[in-house]
Amino acid sequence: VDTPIEQLVADEKAKAVLTSVLGGDITQNPFYEQIKAMSFTQVQPLSQGQITDELIKKLADGLAGIK
């Protein structure tokens, strides 16, 4: 969750985790180009509540499982 989103998307297994947890392809988000160089923890305060602490935990747990 501290890795830039574009680096996670570049990894097939990490992208699968993101798609599963987020319920869709993050690269299709209209703000993707603006946020891709940021991590989820950096984007969270800007997300207007869409990226919750619970979502961050699910992402972290899912990503930890592939390393």
Side-chain angles (χ1 to χ4, degrees):
V1 292
D2 294 318
T3 302
I5 296 168
E6 64 187 340
Q7 288 181 22
L8 295 173
V9 170
D11 180 281
E12 190 175 312
K13 290 178 183 176
K15 185 176 182 182
V17 170
L18 298 183
T19 300
S20 173
V21 172
L22 299 174
D25 185 348
I26 183 112
T27 63
Q28 300 304 307
N29 183 296
F31 296 106
Y32 178 72
E33 287 299 316
Q34 295 171 299
I35 64 169
K36 67 181 184 180
M38 300 169 73
S39 70
F40 279 101
T41 52
Q42 291 173 316
V43 174
Q44 185 179 18
L46 310 173
S47 74
Q48 299 178 349
Q50 292 185 355
I51 300 176
T52 62
D53 290 341
E54 182 181 345
L55 185 68
I56 293 284
K57 182 173 180 353
K58 286 180 183 178
L59 288 168
D61 291 348
L63 293 170
I66 62 170
K67 292 188 177 186

